[in-house]
């Protein structure tokens, strides 16, 4: 949220710099994320100073140019100028080298040292249109003779410069959605820390009596969803452009001017935090009713979209027709236009939950809904209406007919019992009763008795004594909590197995292998849910009140976010990517929802960056290698590779089981999944059941063995096999019949084609043997190889080539 430094100073008097005010707000819980200088002139004339022309000579090589020397106080500059009116003795504006100026016409221009017709020029003497100060280009802008030299141009011209503070407003701080609420925190801080008696100055309003029974045609039919409603009626207003001061103040906050009526309503909203809405009164001649929408009722809102309303939507009805989504967005037909002369202006307190549900359902995020969703100050609704009436009459004229209290806010303020000794004990502070009372008073908390305090009704987040304690420490400052000289703590007993340590170890291993860790939102768009259709995936879990249509279901696969990350990076010239992510997926099975912990891996591109030695693209075997590296501590005899079932994210791949139970699925992601992010490059991925892996990890023990003194012996087989026989089956069979001396097997050649009959293939396998106690003899190795050969012949019909 943006607030204006100058606007804040109208509510509370201070002499601190914008930077200091930002520090104060951050310390009180309103974190300032940035400060931007704004002014009526773009760029604020930064880098432009006043100077005096002390010499002016004709350019030796150009009839229309002059070579001047300009004193800017700190130095004298040589500047080549083409203005016909430049002369000795003038006070002028000089743009220094490195300055960016913003002419009325054309692009911004950054000045550099340059030679003009052979003469060096060290800046620019400016005309008013070159600085955006006016439209004249007849010559340079000449200042009054008594103008001091060396002054910043903004100071010399007394430009109105402001500073905009960007606040990262948390949802609980609904009290700070206007400048008044932010100023309240500044006042409380200054009163406590600097001992200042700082009154809070409210804006001036015209005295106007608020009447309860002006018109019986104004009604609220939903007391639960509209807890307070006030109306003002004006006639004789003149709709037109807003004055410059009003336009500039709204523009500084990022809001475009619409017309003087709407701008006044927006101004008061930013000022007090209370949204208001102005109607063209011609559409409410018979009645104005706050009611729920009829089934299938439609409304064209200000953005031109026709919306079908729900019976839970609250609307403002005029003459029997819905004209506004209450607290969210006005209707197009009853909006204030250039022909409007009569106004009805509303100020209300709408139920935050109702406004939020309506806004989210219709996909609308307006300044009004932002505030109503969090809860506005119910005690300011009438004052805000009086304020906007005064403002409108000052810029658009008109006569006030009445201000009516259609419905008054009736919810009583919360009362909390406080004990100051308990507060100090909770905080570890020694604040005096006077200090505590001062902080509470500055925050509009009022004492009812010695131990009971009334909470202001705009602080909907403060309901318990501990909430009040939090309010006190954010004003007193966390640095006021003393650091004890002695710390007492107990040392926890660590478990022999740590899930967190296992995750950290896995992350380090993957990072060492070139992976980058990512973290994606667990919410995704509804269309992604159609991609996971297998029985084990269940059905997607939909949100009842989604943040947006793109975040409407909980993810059923980790690959949704991973693919979006791949596409984002690929579009930014990062083609070779390896990513991993820990997270959860969510699956609906009737009334039951299952949450699964998953480790996802994806890789795409080439194994190595471009090189004169060549490179190869990632393949299925790369993703398989990464998974096998992770589970290498398991008993290899317990690992089984099986074909994938139906309805998986992969077009080809395998499932890895351990002791007969699934652990991971991996393979090449199918085209239908890649199309969701328009990704055209092959992607290989793996999804590991992280809970299952943690269970298996408990059985893995770090073991240390002596480095063998014997060497490895290799033997090879060239086999002719049926083409449907898999390498994994051969490895499993070899391990079954060979002794523990067989330490590894490798497939180093595959051949199909000429001289191999149809339906057959040739495998070249190497077998590696070692005995840790002695050197193997040829006879012992031949015995091992014979057992393997007989097994291959009997189980697979293999033939030696």
């Amino acid at each position: 949220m943006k607030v204006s430094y100058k606007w804040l100073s109208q509510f509370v008097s201070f002499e601190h710099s914008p930077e200091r005010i930002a520090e104060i707000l951050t310390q009180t819980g309103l974190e300032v994320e940035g400060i931007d200088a704004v002014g009526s002139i773009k760029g604020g004339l930064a880098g432009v100073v006043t100077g005096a022309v002390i010499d002016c000579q004709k350019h030796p090589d150009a009839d229309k140019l002059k070579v001047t020397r300009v004193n800017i106080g700190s130095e004298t500059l040589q500047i080549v100028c083409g203005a016909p009116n430049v002369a000795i003795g003038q006070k002028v504006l000089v743009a220094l080298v490195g300055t960016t100026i913003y002419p009325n016409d054309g692009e911004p221009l950054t000045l550099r040292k340059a030679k003009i017709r052979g003469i060096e020029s060290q800046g620019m003497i400016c005309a008013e249109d070159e600085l955006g100060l006016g439209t004249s280009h007849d010559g340079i802008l000449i200042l009054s003779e008594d103008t001091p030299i060396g002054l910043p141009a903004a100071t010399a011209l007394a430009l109105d410069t402001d500073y905009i503070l960007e606040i990262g407003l948390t949802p609980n701080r609904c009290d700070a959605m206007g400048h008044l609420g932010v100023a309240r925190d500044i006042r409380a801080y200054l009163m406590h820390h600097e001992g200042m008696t700082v009154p809070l100055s409210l804006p001036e309003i015209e005295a106007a009596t608020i009447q309860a029974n002006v018109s019986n045609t104004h009604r609220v039919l939903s007391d639960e969803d509209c807890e307070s409603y006030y109306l003002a009626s004006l006639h004789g207003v003149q709709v037109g452009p807003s004055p410059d001061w009003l336009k500039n103040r709204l523009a500084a906050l990022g809001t475009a001017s619409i017309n003087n009526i709407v701008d006044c309503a927006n101004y008061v909203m930013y000022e007090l935090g209370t949204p208001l809405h102005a109607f063209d009164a011609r559409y409410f001649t018979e009645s104005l009713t706050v009611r729920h929408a009829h089934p299938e009722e439609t409304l064209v809102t200000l953005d031109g979209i026709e919306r079908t309303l729900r019976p839970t939507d609250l609307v403002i009805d005029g003459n029997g027709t819905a004209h506004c989504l209450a607290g969210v967005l006005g209707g197009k037909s009853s909006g204030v236009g250039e022909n409007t002369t009569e106004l009805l202006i509303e100020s209300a307190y709408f139920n935050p939950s109702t406004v939020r549900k309506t806004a989210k359902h219709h996909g609308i995020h307006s300044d009004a809904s932002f505030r109503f969703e969090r809860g506005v100050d119910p005690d300011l609704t009438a004052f805000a209406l009086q304020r906007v009436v005064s403002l409108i009459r000052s810029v658009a004229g008109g006569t006030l007919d009445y201000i009516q209290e259609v419905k008054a806010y009736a919810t009583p303020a919360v009362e909390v019992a406080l004990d100051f000794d308990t507060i100090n004990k909770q905080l570890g502070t020694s604040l005096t009763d006077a200090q505590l009372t001062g902080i509470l008073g500055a925050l509009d908390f009022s004492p009812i008795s010695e131990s009971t305090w009334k909470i202001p009704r705009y602080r909907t987040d403060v309901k318990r004594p501990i909430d009040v304690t939090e309010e006190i420490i954010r004003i007193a400052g966390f640095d006021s909590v003393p650091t004890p000289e002695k710390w007492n703590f107990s040392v926890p007993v660590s478990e022999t197995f740590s899930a967190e340590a296992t995750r950290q170890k896995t992350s380090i291993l993957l990072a060492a292998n070139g992976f980058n860790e990512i973290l994606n939102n667990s919410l995704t768009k509804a269309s992604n849910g159609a991609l996971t259709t297998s029985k084990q995936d269940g059905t997607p879990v939909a949100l009842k009140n989604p943040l947006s249509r793109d975040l409407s279901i909980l993810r059923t696969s980790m690959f949704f976010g991973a693919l979006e990350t791949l596409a984002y990076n690929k579009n930014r010239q990062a083609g070779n990517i390896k990513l991993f992510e820990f997270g959860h997926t969510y699956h609906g099975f009737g009334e039951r929802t299952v949450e699964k912990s998953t480790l996802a891996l994806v890789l795409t591109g080439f194994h190595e960056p471009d090189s004169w030695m060549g490179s190869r693209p990632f393949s299925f075997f790369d993703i398989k290698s990464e998974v096998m590296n992770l589970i290498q501590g398991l008993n290899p005899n317990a690992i089984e590779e099986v074909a994938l079932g139906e309805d998986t994210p992969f077009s080809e791949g395998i499932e890895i089981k351990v002791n007969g139970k699934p652990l991971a699925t991996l393979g090449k992601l199918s085209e239908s999944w890649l199309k969701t992010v328009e990704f055209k490059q092959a992607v290989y991925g793996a999804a590991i059941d992280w809970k299952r892996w943690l269970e298996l990890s408990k059985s893995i023990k770090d073991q240390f063995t002596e480095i063998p003194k014997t060497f490895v012996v290799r033997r090879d087989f060239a086999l002719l096999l049926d083409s449907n026989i898999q390498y994994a089956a051969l490895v499993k069979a070899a391990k079954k019949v060979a002794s523990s001396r067989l330490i590894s097997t490798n497939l180093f050649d595959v051949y199909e084609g000429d001289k191999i009959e149809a339906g057959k293939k040739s495998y070249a396998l190497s077998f590696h043997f070692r005995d840790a106690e002695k050197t193997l003899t040829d006879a012992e190795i031949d015995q091992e190889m014979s057992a393997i050969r007989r097994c291959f012949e009997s189980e697979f019909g293999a033939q030696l080539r």
Side-chain angles (χ1 to χ4, degrees):
M1 188 186 78
K2 295 180 179 180
V3 295
S4 160
Y5 170 78
K6 282 197 170 182
W7 207 341
L8 290 173
S9 68
Q10 294 177 5
F11 285 98
V12 57
S13 178
F14 52 77
E15 298 180 355
H16 294 294
S17 67
E19 291 75 18
R20 177 57 184 149
I21 292 298
E23 291 176 4
I24 291 173
L25 290 175
T26 299
Q27 290 175 16
T28 61
L30 298 175
E31 183 179 0
V32 176
E33 299 173 342
I35 304 175
D36 293 317
V38 297
S40 54
I41 303 300
K42 187 172 183 180
L45 299 184
V48 181
V49 299
T50 59
V53 180
I54 59 175
D55 189 30
C56 181
Q57 304 294 330
K58 186 176 179 299
H59 194 293
D61 295 322
D63 294 336
K64 295 184 178 181
L65 297 180
K66 296 177 181 177
V67 180
T68 65
R69 293 175 63 239
V70 183
N71 180 9
I72 61 169
S74 59
E75 60 180 317
T76 298
L77 304 176
Q78 177 176 277
I79 299 175
V80 178
C81 180
N85 63 331
V86 63
I88 296 175
Q90 294 172 338
K91 299 292 180 66
V92 294
L93 292 178
V94 179
L96 305 177
V97 171
T99 297
T100 299
I101 60 175
Y102 299 85
N104 288 337
D105 299 320
E107 297 295 321
L109 174 65
T110 300
L111 302 182
R112 295 179 175 82
K113 279 187 178 181
K115 284 189 175 182
I116 302 176
R117 294 289 183 94
I119 302 294
E120 186 178 80
S121 183
Q122 299 172 314
M124 177 178 177
I125 305 176
C126 301
E128 66 177 41
D129 68 324
E130 293 169 333
L131 297 174
L133 292 169
T135 58
S136 173
H137 194 69
D138 294 335
I140 58 171
L141 178 62
I142 301 174
L143 306 176
S144 62
E145 294 181 359
D146 59 351
T147 302
I149 61 174
L151 282 180
T155 303
L157 299 177
L159 292 183
D160 184 20
T161 301
D162 196 1
Y163 297 88
I164 300 301
L165 283 63
E166 183 76 41
I167 295 176
L169 192 66
T170 53
N172 65 308
R173 292 302 307 276
C174 55
D175 61 301
M177 293 187 296
H179 284 73
L180 173 62
V182 177
R184 188 185 293 117
D185 273 9
I186 296 174
R187 178 188 65 162
Y189 183 93
L190 295 178
M191 290 177 68
H192 177 74
H193 289 273
E194 300 183 10
M196 299 172 61
T197 302
V198 187
L200 197 62
S201 302
L202 292 176
E204 295 182 357
I205 60 172
E206 292 183 11
T209 302
I210 298 176
Q211 306 172 60
N213 297 306
V214 178
S215 171
N216 293 327
T217 63
H218 301 334
R219 298 175 299 165
V220 173
L221 299 184
S222 177
D223 290 340
E224 182 180 347
D225 290 337
C226 179
E227 300 182 52
S228 173
Y229 199 80
Y230 292 82
L231 273 176
S233 173
L234 291 90
H235 71 273
V237 298
Q238 185 174 353
V239 179
S242 295
D244 288 343
W245 69 265
L246 180 54
K247 288 181 181 178
N248 292 339
R249 179 141 292 181
L250 293 178
L253 299 179
T255 298
S257 174
I258 298 175
N259 58 51
N260 49 4
I261 306 300
V262 176
D263 290 355
C264 286
N266 285 335
Y267 183 92
V268 175
M269 177 181 67
Y270 292 130
E271 184 177 55
L272 304 178
T274 302
L276 304 120
H277 189 72
F279 299 99
D280 189 322
R282 292 176 296 176
Y283 296 88
F284 300 85
T285 54
E286 298 177 7
S287 66
L288 183 149
T289 306
V290 183
R291 62 169 174 84
H292 286 109
H294 303 311
E296 302 302 315
E297 187 173 12
T298 60
L299 170 65
V300 179
T301 46
L302 285 169
D303 53 10
I305 298 175
E306 183 177 11
R307 304 179 187 276
T308 300
L309 308 182
R310 305 175 302 167
T312 54
D313 294 334
L314 194 67
V315 299
I316 310 300
D317 174 298
N319 300 347
T321 302
H323 283 288
C324 176
L325 274 173
V328 180
L329 193 62
K332 191 173 182 65
S333 61
S334 61
V336 175
E338 58 184 9
N339 296 322
T340 300
T341 58
E342 299 179 3
L343 298 175
L344 279 178
I345 308 170
E346 72 169 16
S347 180
Y349 183 95
F350 297 117
N351 185 290
S353 177
T354 300
V355 172
R356 178 174 175 79
K357 290 176 181 178
T358 297
K360 296 306 176 185
H361 173 75
H362 294 286
I364 301 171
H365 181 78
S366 62
D367 283 330
S369 68
F370 173 81
R371 287 163 173 80
F372 279 123
E373 285 173 13
R374 289 156 175 79
V376 299
D377 185 354
D379 295 324
L380 272 182
T381 49
F383 180 84
L385 191 56
Q386 293 173 306
R387 170 61 172 156
V388 78
V389 167
S390 301
L391 205 56
I392 287 174
R393 283 170 49 79
S394 69
V395 300
T399 301
L400 174 65
D401 300 316
Y402 59 82
I403 296 179
Q404 180 180 352
E405 179 189 88
V406 181
K407 185 177 187 301
Y409 190 80
T411 303
V414 174
E415 297 178 3
V416 174
L418 298 179
D419 180 76
F420 286 175
D421 290 337
T422 300
I423 291 174
N424 275 319
K425 185 176 180 180
Q426 289 170 333
L427 297 176
T429 55
S430 301
L431 297 170
T432 65
D433 288 0
Q435 288 175 316
L436 292 170
T437 300
I439 292 174
L440 293 173
L443 293 174
D444 292 345
F445 290 61
S446 54
I448 297 175
S449 65
E450 185 176 343
S451 61
T452 306
W453 288 73
K454 181 188 291 185
I455 310 301
R457 292 197 288 189
Y458 60 78
R459 289 310 304 270
T460 57
D461 60 320
V462 180
K463 299 178 180 178
R464 305 166 299 167
I466 195 64
D467 297 330
V468 179
T469 302
E470 182 182 354
E471 290 298 294
I472 289 171
I473 194 59
R474 72 180 183 84
I475 299 301
F478 289 97
D479 53 358
S480 67
V481 179
T483 302
E485 296 181 359
K486 180 181 179 182
W487 291 86
N488 296 319
F489 59 91
S490 58
V491 179
V493 178
S494 61
E495 301 177 2
T496 55
F497 175 81
S498 168
E500 184 58 35
T502 302
R503 173 171 170 166
Q504 183 71 8
K505 185 178 179 180
T506 303
S507 299
I508 292 172
L509 177 60
L510 290 170
N513 287 340
F515 281 83
N516 287 298
E517 185 172 9
I518 58 174
L519 181 63
N520 283 298
N521 200 328
S522 57
L523 301 174
T524 188
K525 51 190 176 184
S527 58
N528 285 340
L531 293 173
T532 51
T533 57
S534 64
K535 291 182 179 180
Q536 60 265 33
D537 285 327
T539 57
V541 179
L543 272 66
K544 290 183 178 179
N545 188 22
L547 295 172
S548 71
R549 294 176 183 177
D550 286 339
L551 300 171
S552 58
I553 66 169
L554 290 166
R555 63 187 174 194
T556 51
S557 171
M558 298 289 290
F559 292 130
F560 297 139
L563 285 174
E564 290 176 359
T565 306
L566 287 179
Y568 181 90
N569 284 273
K570 182 69 167 62
N571 292 337
R572 287 156 181 79
Q573 309 304 314
N576 306 324
I577 314 170
K578 300 171 74 174
L579 304 173
F580 75 96
E581 179 178 10
F582 291 95
H584 297 88
T585 58
Y586 307 85
H587 312 268
F589 297 94
E591 297 295 324
R592 187 170 59 98
T593 300
V594 175
E595 181 177 342
K596 297 180 180 179
S597 297
T598 305
L599 167 60
L601 313 178
V602 290
L603 45 84
T604 186
F606 285 79
H607 193 270
E608 299 289 344
D610 292 342
S611 169
W612 64 272
M613 298 177 67
S615 183
R616 63 171 181 82
F618 286 122
S619 69
F620 164 77
F621 297 101
D622 290 301
I623 193 68
K624 180 183 176 183
S625 174
E626 300 292 353
V627 174
M628 299 308 290
N629 274 341
L630 291 177
I631 66 174
Q632 62 182 335
L634 298 176
N635 179 4
N637 294 324
I639 300 174
E640 181 184 4
E641 299 176 15
V642 299
L644 283 174
E646 297 181 356
D647 300 323
T648 71
F650 308 107
S651 58
E652 56 185 61
I654 60 171
E655 181 178 38
I656 295 179
K657 293 185 176 183
V658 178
N659 296 325
K661 295 182 179 180
L663 173 63
T665 56
L666 56 141
K668 182 179 181 181
L669 286 168
S670 65
E671 291 293 329
S672 60
W673 282 65
L674 300 186
K675 284 180 181 178
T676 61
V677 292
E678 299 181 357
F679 201 80
K680 298 179 181 180
Q681 188 169 284
V683 177
Y684 298 89
I688 300 171
D689 185 335
W690 186 246
K691 183 178 179 181
R692 170 85 170 125
W693 172 240
L694 288 178
E695 293 173 356
L696 293 169
S697 296
K698 295 177 182 179
S699 65
I700 300 176
K701 306 296 182 184
D702 291 332
Q703 296 181 346
F704 299 90
T705 58
E706 184 181 358
I707 298 175
K709 297 181 175 62
T710 59
F711 54 86
V712 175
V713 179
R714 168 177 167 167
R715 290 288 187 271
D716 297 343
F717 271 160
L719 303 174
L720 186 63
L721 302 156
D722 291 339
S723 58
N724 63 342
I725 295 174
Q726 296 183 353
Y727 167 64
L730 297 173
V731 173
K732 185 176 181 180
K735 289 180 178 180
K736 182 174 64 175
V737 299
S739 69
S740 60
R741 295 165 174 171
L742 178 62
I743 59 174
S744 65
T745 306
N746 182 48
L747 174 65
F748 63 89
D749 187 53
V750 179
Y751 179 73
E752 291 180 280
D754 293 343
K755 300 180 182 179
I756 298 291
E757 62 182 282
K760 298 286 187 178
K761 62 183 176 183
S762 174
Y763 269 4
L765 303 175
S766 62
F767 302 87
H768 304 87
F769 301 92
R770 180 170 58 198
D771 189 318
E773 302 298 329
K774 64 174 184 175
T775 302
L776 293 173
T777 65
D778 287 341
E780 290 171 326
I781 297 171
D782 290 342
Q783 184 180 358
E784 298 276 8
M785 292 298 289
S786 295
I788 295 172
R789 175 178 55 78
R790 289 192 299 270
C791 175
F792 286 176
E793 289 174 345
S794 62
E795 289 193 25
F796 307 108
Q799 303 174 32
L800 289 179
R801 295 188 66 197

